[in-house]
Amino acid sequence: MPTGSLQDARRAVVTDRVLAGVAALLADGRVLTYANVAAAAEVPERTVYRHFPTRHDLMAAVVDWVNQRAGVQRATTGEQATENVRHVFTTFDEVAPVMRELMLAPEGLAARLENNDDRRAAALAIVDNDAPGLDDPTRRRTAAVVQLLTSAATWQTLRDYWDMDGTEAADTAAVALAMLLDGARHEATKTQLREGPRRRRPRTRSPRGDSR
């Protein structure tokens, strides 16, 4: 095995160990500090710093770890988004203490925002596929709600305020998503009927009397 590949493999092993330590200490209700992470992962604290020099680096790695565990896929249709939510929300239940830290910690928010452009693009793609023809402001607002309904924030809110587990939260989000896109399709149809077919430009006549 080439040296580079061996180093990458070792780094991956240590990274997995550190992230498992993060999950373990948060599940125990302990504070997320480098010292606590090192103790939970059973590695020297300097090792944690070497792999994750800042808390932002650590939280970004935690976000990736959760996404990989949940098998997050990019959806381009409402049906795909619903399938994602059903799988992802139940996975969030399995790592609920980690998700809470990601939702509450400032570094967690910053880490989650790193892929926000991709998430916005995915939400817009869903709207364009399921409700084509919306005017730009309505398209943007509908996509914003699509992103919200498929986000960890919705899972967390339904868990905290309605005592829902991931399955029920996913069912709730799926119903809301279907109603949203049905309403968007209806709005797109009204817009198209209101605007009607575009007028064709009148054909002009040349001085010789033929049409151009």
Side-chain angles (χ1 to χ4, degrees), residues 14-164:
V14 174
T15 296
D16 288 344
R17 189 166 181 173
V18 170
L19 295 177
V22 170
L25 73 89
L26 291 175
D28 289 341
R30 287 182 284 164
V31 179
L32 182 62
T33 66
Y34 274 63
N36 285 346
V37 170
E42 298 183 344
V43 298
E45 190 172 346
R46 65 178 179 275
T47 298
V48 182
Y49 276 105
R50 185 167 65 249
H51 285 74
F52 308 104
T54 68
R55 280 181 61 90
H56 175 80
D57 295 327
L58 180 60
M59 298 307 287
V62 172
V63 170
D64 290 341
W65 179 79
V66 170
N67 286 341
Q68 290 174 12
R69 186 183 180 99
V72 174
Q73 301 289 329
R74 176 169 176 149
T76 56
T77 68
E79 182 178 357
Q80 292 172 355
T82 298
E83 291 176 1
N84 270 352
V85 165
R86 294 191 187 283
H87 181 64
V88 170
F89 280 16
T90 55
T91 303
F92 286 169
D93 278 355
E94 299 171 6
V95 290
V98 176
M99 293 304 303
R100 183 172 294 278
E101 184 71 17
L102 288 175
M103 298 297 293
L104 296 178
E107 298 90 349
L109 174 61
R112 288 185 291 113
L113 285 175
E114 284 189 352
N115 68 346
N116 195 47
D117 287 346
D118 290 340
R119 295 182 66 201
R120 283 187 176 187
L124 287 167
I126 290 169
V127 174
D128 289 341
N129 182 83
D130 284 45
L134 291 173
D135 60 76
D136 286 341
T138 305
R139 171 178 177 263
R140 179 176 181 272
R141 293 164 188 156
T142 304
V145 180
V146 168
Q147 182 174 342
L148 174 62
L149 290 173
T150 57
S151 71
T154 291
W155 166 83
Q156 187 75 62
T157 298
L158 294 174
R159 179 185 177 91
D160 288 347
Y161 290 90
W162 285 91
D163 303 317
M164 292 185 182

